[in-house]
Amino acid sequence: SAKKFRSAVGSDTSNGLFGNMALYSRVSGSVGLITLQNPPVNALSAVVRQSLIDLMDRALSEPEVKSVVICGQNGKFCGGADIKEFRSDMTGPPLVPMIDRLELSSKPVVAAIEGVALGGGLELALGCHYRVAHSKTRLGLPEVTLGLLPGAGGTQRLPRLVGIPAALELITTGRHVTAAEALQLGLVDFVTDHNTIEAAVKLALSVAGKSLDSRRISTCKCPRPPYADALFEEAMQRVRRSARGAIAPVACVQAVHAAATLPFARGMEQEKQLMATLFTSGQARALQYQFFAQRAVSRWSTPSGARWDTSKPRPVHKVAVIGLGTMGRGITVALAQAGLSVVAVETHEKQLMEAKRVVSGMLERGAKRLGAPPALDKINYSCEIQAVADVDLVIEAVFEDMVVKKTVFRQLSAICKPGTFLFTNTSGLDIDELAAQTRNPELVVGMHFFAPAHVMKLLEVVYGRRSSSQAVATAMKIGKNMDKISVAVGNCSGFVGNRMLRPYLDQAFFLLEEGATPELVDQALEEFGFAMGVFRMSDLSGLDIGWKVRKAKEMVSKTHQDCRYSPLGDLLCERGRFGQKTGRGWYQYDKPGGRVAKPDPWLHSFLEKYRAQRGFVARRIDHQEVLERCLYALINEGFRILEDRIASGPEDIDVIYVLGYSWPRHRGGPMFYAQMVGLSRILEKLEYYHQLHLDIPSLQPCSLLRKLVANGRPPIHKWVEVIKNPHSHL
Ligand code: 3HC
Ligand code: NAI
């Protein structure tokens, strides 16, 4: 719209100078308009910063120019500092003095904010004297999600502008706010539904020559409520509780505290010091790696050569969901919220009515949150599978039972119109076996959601041997429409996420046999940063689910001679201890459905008897052993997955683990963590534990791990070269 407005007002293009990465023009005679130009998000790279300084100097030196407007090209104000620059030597002028100089300007500067003003982008706007935003803009200081703090004055200016409570919340969570909320907070001065730059220029004209004394945020006093100390105390406790070991949220509180207690210049010094510690931390590296990994997974490829950029998705308008249990309901909600028409099918009338009630409730609550009408009319409910005859795509979510699923796939293949995609939400069954039941196996793909399906960001898109690239591309596109992050992975038992979980869970059980308690194992994992340890998680999701699967695979009844198997979970289930739902599991609860886990003396004595009967001698197990055994076994399986080409790179695994399995984001993901720990160390420890437990094959180091160590431990982004070229000598 900058371009449109410039031509509308007849900008002084003869005087226009194409600055490198920022454009200068004169509008309405006396307003200097600076447009940031650095697609796709106008990030403040070194060149952009330099051009901004040069163009600001030019605006100040031109006597005809009485005020300045700063905007961003293509309807995006600015996405902040250029994160790609963080890993190289920083060059170019630093942001802080640049923003300080802007604020000191004798001519009023107005930020015309469209699209996004995030991080350094919002800090730039805070250095301006006025802020005008389009109603669709999102604003925020998301640095904390990258392991940083708003280090260009954001921690000092924001509390001065919006007060301590709001600043603390925004800076420690990184939450984006809408323009309406920003106006309410006082973060922007004016919101428009129309041309933002036009509105900003109008404002710039009206304030030309007026005093800027009260408009320079750095000169304002930080409002300090009488209960400020308690506020900081409470904020510190909250972030320590929820940060799961992340250091940035804590530093954010400290920086805002500095704003509340120190003069601006000293507060800025504090901000700088805290930022310096964060900037070089492993956590910041991990979080920034995750940021790019979450974007990289959309550029998927398969070992057979199908790729994101050469595969076109087919348009989809109408989708069927089969089976409206826990997952089917969430999937229905996610699809309807994405604007798709849904045919929701359940076998039993009663179950169907119940599902309808629950889905409608979920949609209504979602609508309230989003401020949009609930998409209730997008859904048609039916007990008849024939109702799916004219849909473009089916997502099957019936029981996790191969026999049931095969029947459903045969039915679907007969009923659906030709070309209908048949996707399954199985959490680990063989996609090829299901595809083989249909006339067109190339249309079958796994679409593995995570519970609750309308909330969780992750989707594993599982391609089978015969899945077409168009089917994969369509699944990825539907995922994006539902606002999910989709990772394309190959077909194997458990796919990526659940396959890696197996050895992790096994180790936790074995540790109980060897002397640990559920409390000890969970504590070690929770201190590491998982939202919940193995046993609290198992109690929450229900021990009976895994038991059913193990029984179906005949693992429970089998004799396990060469390969260690712990029947502890089965023994608890046989005693009716299914977890929270029965009030007893690995812990005890005050009642069935209770949520507060308490250590259970019964379980401890049960473990003692179990060990005595089976010849285990309990020994002292420490947190380090818990972490090494559980995490390194999981990581080892991750290397196997890479070697088998089930995942196309370590980023895929790391995104799956952070978004689907509560792996602490500030540790990057299991494969990134392996790199941080050091591949030689992981190998050494796996060898050590495998020697002690020769009956646990998952502890045997995978050959890819050995190869990477032998190749001189290349950095994570080079692992794929070693996988693709087994003879590679990096
Ligand atoms: N620096 C460098 N690259 C960036 C970037 C940034 N700040 N923001 C986005 N990009 C890149 C992405 O990596 C992506 O690249 P790709 O196409 O090669 O994958 C491309 O821009 C488009 O990004 P998205 O796919 O995320 O596009 P969306 O339209 O979905 O989202 C966005 C746009 C909301 C701006 C989102 O990209 C985002 O949240 N960006 C990060 C914002 C942020 O965290 N800013 C703070 C930076 S740190 C800082 O400012 C420090 C300061 O306080 C000193
Ligand atoms: P669920 O038992 O809650 O729901 C299954 C539903 O399917 C029931 O309502 C049942 O009546 C219905 N159903 C069974 N046969 C049917 C048929 N022929 N036609 C129509 N409806 C039929 O199960 P849940 O947990 O929703 O799981 C469904 C699928 O999702 C399974 O494959 C499971 O492995 C997978 N999954 C489950 C996750 C979870 O956390 N629960 C996570 C990810 C995937």
Side-chain angles (χ1 to χ4, degrees):
S1 62
K3 201 157 124 205
K4 210 161 83 198
F5 180 66
R6 226 173 279 120
S7 62
V9 295
S11 70
D12 184 1
T13 44
S14 60
N15 278 349
L17 170 81
F18 283 90
N20 208 350
M21 300 284 201
L23 170 75
Y24 182 76
S25 60
R26 185 103 65 73
V27 291
S28 298
S30 65
V31 178
L33 178 65
I34 298 174
T35 309
L36 307 179
Q37 291 190 318
N38 185 12
V41 300
N42 299 323
L44 296 164
S45 63
V47 192
V48 173
R49 298 194 301 273
Q50 188 58 58
S51 342
L52 196 54
I53 290 172
D54 294 346
L55 297 181
M56 206 43 220
D57 284 348
R58 176 174 175 170
L60 290 175
S61 69
E62 288 182 352
E64 305 85 348
V65 169
K66 304 290 181 221
S67 46
V68 181
V69 170
I70 300 179
C71 66
Q73 182 197 39
N74 288 337
K76 287 201 179 102
F77 182 69
C78 178
D82 186 342
I83 307 166
K84 291 194 181 90
E85 280 182 354
F86 291 174
R87 293 294 141 234
S88 52
D89 291 335
M90 297 287 271
T91 56
L95 261 179
V96 170
M98 183 192 95
I99 294 174
D100 285 349
R101 267 176 68 183
L102 195 76
E103 192 188 53
L104 264 180
S105 148
S106 53
K107 300 178 184 177
V109 185
V110 181
I113 308 172
E114 296 175 303
V116 286
L118 297 173
L122 182 57
E123 292 173 297
L124 172 69
L126 289 171
C128 297
H129 306 113
Y130 296 90
R131 285 155 294 281
V132 173
H134 189 268
S135 53
K136 297 231 158 74
T137 308
R138 285 184 296 149
L139 306 97
L141 294 174
E143 285 87 342
V144 69
T145 63
L146 299 169
L148 304 174
L149 51 72
T155 66
Q156 304 304 300
R157 284 195 178 87
L158 189 70
R160 284 177 163 76
L161 188 63
V162 304
I164 294 169
L168 269 176
E169 197 258 325
L170 292 182
I171 293 174
T172 56
T173 62
R175 181 169 74 86
H176 297 181
V177 298
T178 60
E181 189 179 349
L183 185 65
Q184 220 169 33
L185 288 170
L187 183 54
V188 298
D189 303 293
F190 185 72
V191 172
T192 177
D193 281 328
H194 306 288
N195 189 317
T196 317
I197 295 154
E198 202 173 308
V201 168
K202 209 165 136 197
L203 181 69
L205 288 169
S206 73
V207 295
K210 291 210 176 128
S211 162
L212 291 172
D213 285 352
S214 64
R215 305 299 313 177
R216 295 190 177 101
I217 299 175
S218 71
T219 63
C220 302
K221 253 182 90 87
C222 185
R224 204 180 139 80
Y227 51 89
D229 288 344
L231 213 67
F232 282 108
E233 182 80 8
E234 191 269 327
M236 198 51 112
Q237 278 178 11
R238 178 171 51 78
V239 300
R240 283 199 202 280
R241 241 191 344 262
S242 61
R244 301 200 255 143
I247 53 174
V250 174
C252 285
V253 177
Q254 289 168 332
V256 177
H257 187 257
T261 48
L262 299 173
F264 184 78
R266 290 209 26 228
M268 286 298 286
E269 276 168 31
Q270 281 276 322
E271 182 188 275
K272 188 174 173 181
Q273 269 177 25
L274 289 163
M275 179 67 153
T277 316
L278 295 178
F279 200 79
T280 50
S281 69
Q283 293 197 3
R285 275 174 56 196
L287 286 156
Q288 288 157 30
Y289 161 83
Q290 227 345 279
F291 174 87
F292 289 115
Q294 289 185 14
R295 281 148 184 89
V297 292
S298 64
R299 295 183 278 272
W300 58 273
S301 64
T302 70
S304 65
R307 291 169 54 90
W308 66 284
D309 50 353
T310 51
S311 312
K312 233 176 113 101
R314 185 137 41 84
V316 167
H317 306 287
K318 198 167 179 183
V319 183
V321 178
I322 315 285
L324 303 179
T326 314
M327 295 306 287
R329 295 170 189 187
I331 297 170
T332 302
V333 170
L335 289 166
Q337 281 175 342
L340 290 152
S341 293
V342 187
V343 180
V345 180
E346 201 13 277
T347 29
H348 301 293
E349 180 76 29
K350 202 166 148 239
Q351 181 78 343
L352 183 76
M353 295 327 282
E354 172 64 7
K356 185 173 178 179
R357 194 183 60 77
V358 175
V359 166
S360 303
M362 280 153 65
L363 281 173
E364 267 152 17
R365 280 193 298 280
K368 230 180 246 162
R369 214 182 36 250
L370 301 170
L376 298 172
D377 58 351
K378 286 273 172 205
I379 308 169
N380 281 306
Y381 294 86
S382 176
C383 276
E384 301 297 330
I385 197 156
Q386 272 73 17
V388 307
D390 68 339
V391 302
D392 307 307
L393 187 161
V394 178
I395 302 176
E396 167 278 313
V398 304
F399 302 129
E400 185 75 342
D401 179 325
M402 191 45 124
V403 177
V404 179
K405 283 196 194 288
K406 275 184 172 173
T407 312
V408 171
F409 268 73
R410 278 196 296 272
Q411 282 176 313
L412 291 171
S413 182
I415 296 167
C416 292
K417 70 182 182 194
T420 302
F421 293 114
L422 303 181
F423 295 173
T424 170
N425 180 44
T426 174
S427 19
L429 296 178
D430 186 354
I431 304 293
D432 292 330
E433 205 174 328
L434 287 174
Q437 309 304 310
T438 68
R439 275 179 306 192
N440 297 98
E442 70 277 9
L443 299 172
V444 176
V445 162
M447 203 177 201
H448 182 205
F449 289 77
F450 290 74
H454 61 302
V455 176
M456 294 287 280
K457 273 269 182 195
L458 179 67
L459 257 189
E460 272 183 323
V461 168
V462 190
Y463 52 83
R465 211 170 332 130
R466 297 168 70 180
S467 309
S468 71
S469 58
Q470 189 183 48
V472 180
T474 307
M476 296 295 282
K477 178 78 179 21
I478 296 283
K480 198 168 168 57
N481 290 353
M482 287 186 286
D483 203 22
K484 308 261 181 236
I485 293 179
S486 310
V487 185
V489 301
N491 178 33
C492 63
S493 177
F495 316 134
V496 169
N498 288 342
R499 173 169 159 184
M500 286 171 69
L501 202 59
R502 190 69 264 154
Y504 166 82
L505 298 177
D506 282 347
Q507 290 305 316
F509 290 142
F510 298 155
L511 287 164
L512 290 195
E513 294 182 332
E514 292 165 36
T517 58
E519 296 84 297
L520 176 104
V521 173
D522 283 355
Q523 203 190 357
L525 295 170
E526 287 163 20
E527 271 172 19
F528 177 78
F530 280 100
M532 264 188 213
V534 167
F535 296 105
R536 284 214 298 142
M537 191 53 161
S538 164
D539 272 359
L540 173 70
S541 43
L543 275 71
D544 50 323
I545 296 180
W547 190 37
K548 257 188 230 151
V549 174
R550 291 193 296 276
K551 277 197 291 193
K553 288 188 181 165
E554 291 172 2
M555 284 162 79
V556 175
S557 50
K558 219 163 65 187
T559 48
H560 301 266
Q561 268 159 358
D562 323 322
C563 176
R564 185 164 160 192
Y565 173 82
S566 169
L568 277 170
D570 306 330
L571 295 175
L572 257 60
C573 286
E574 283 166 19
R575 287 161 177 77
R577 296 178 71 105
F578 291 171
Q580 287 188 6
K581 59 176 101 162
T582 57
R584 295 276 185 278
W586 300 104
Y587 294 92
Q588 58 175 328
Y589 300 84
D590 55 358
K591 56 175 189 295
R595 283 165 174 252
V596 183
K598 277 198 255 126
D600 189 346
W602 179 90
L603 198 266
H604 296 159
S605 73
F606 167 78
L607 285 176
E608 272 165 31
K609 276 186 238 144
Y610 172 90
R611 289 179 198 123
Q613 270 170 14
R614 306 209 174 208
F616 286 105
V617 180
R619 58 187 174 83
R620 234 186 70 78
I621 289 169
D622 60 12
H623 281 199
Q624 189 184 339
E625 181 173 352
V626 173
L627 293 183
E628 288 173 351
R629 295 255 313 258
C630 293
L631 302 184
Y632 296 1
L634 174 141
I635 287 167
N636 198 29
E637 196 62 36
F639 281 114
R640 293 207 173 106
I641 281 172
L642 287 175
E643 192 168 46
D644 296 349
R645 310 280 295 270
I646 292 293
S648 64
E651 293 87 355
D652 296 16
I653 296 177
D654 287 336
V655 168
I656 289 173
Y657 258 79
V658 166
L659 295 180
Y661 294 84
S662 93
W663 181 281
R665 187 183 293 247
H666 60 270
R667 294 191 192 268
M671 307 321 281
F672 184 87
Y673 177 69
Q675 178 189 248
M676 292 290 269
V677 170
L679 299 188
S680 318
R681 186 180 161 82
I682 305 256
L683 176 61
E684 209 176 278
K685 285 288 174 182
L686 280 168
E687 271 170 344
Y688 168 76
Y689 288 119
H690 187 234
Q691 281 312 310
L692 291 180
H693 306 278
L694 288 167
D695 55 351
I696 310 180
S698 58
L699 288 175
Q700 181 169 21
C702 137
S703 57
L704 174 61
L705 174 59
R706 287 187 188 285
K707 210 178 296 163
L708 287 166
V709 172
N711 267 291
R713 291 163 284 129
I716 193 162
H717 61 274
K718 296 235 166 134
W719 292 1
V720 172
E721 278 175 45
V722 178
I723 300 163
K724 285 192 178 155
N725 177 7
H727 309 296
S728 157
H729 289 288
L730 283 167

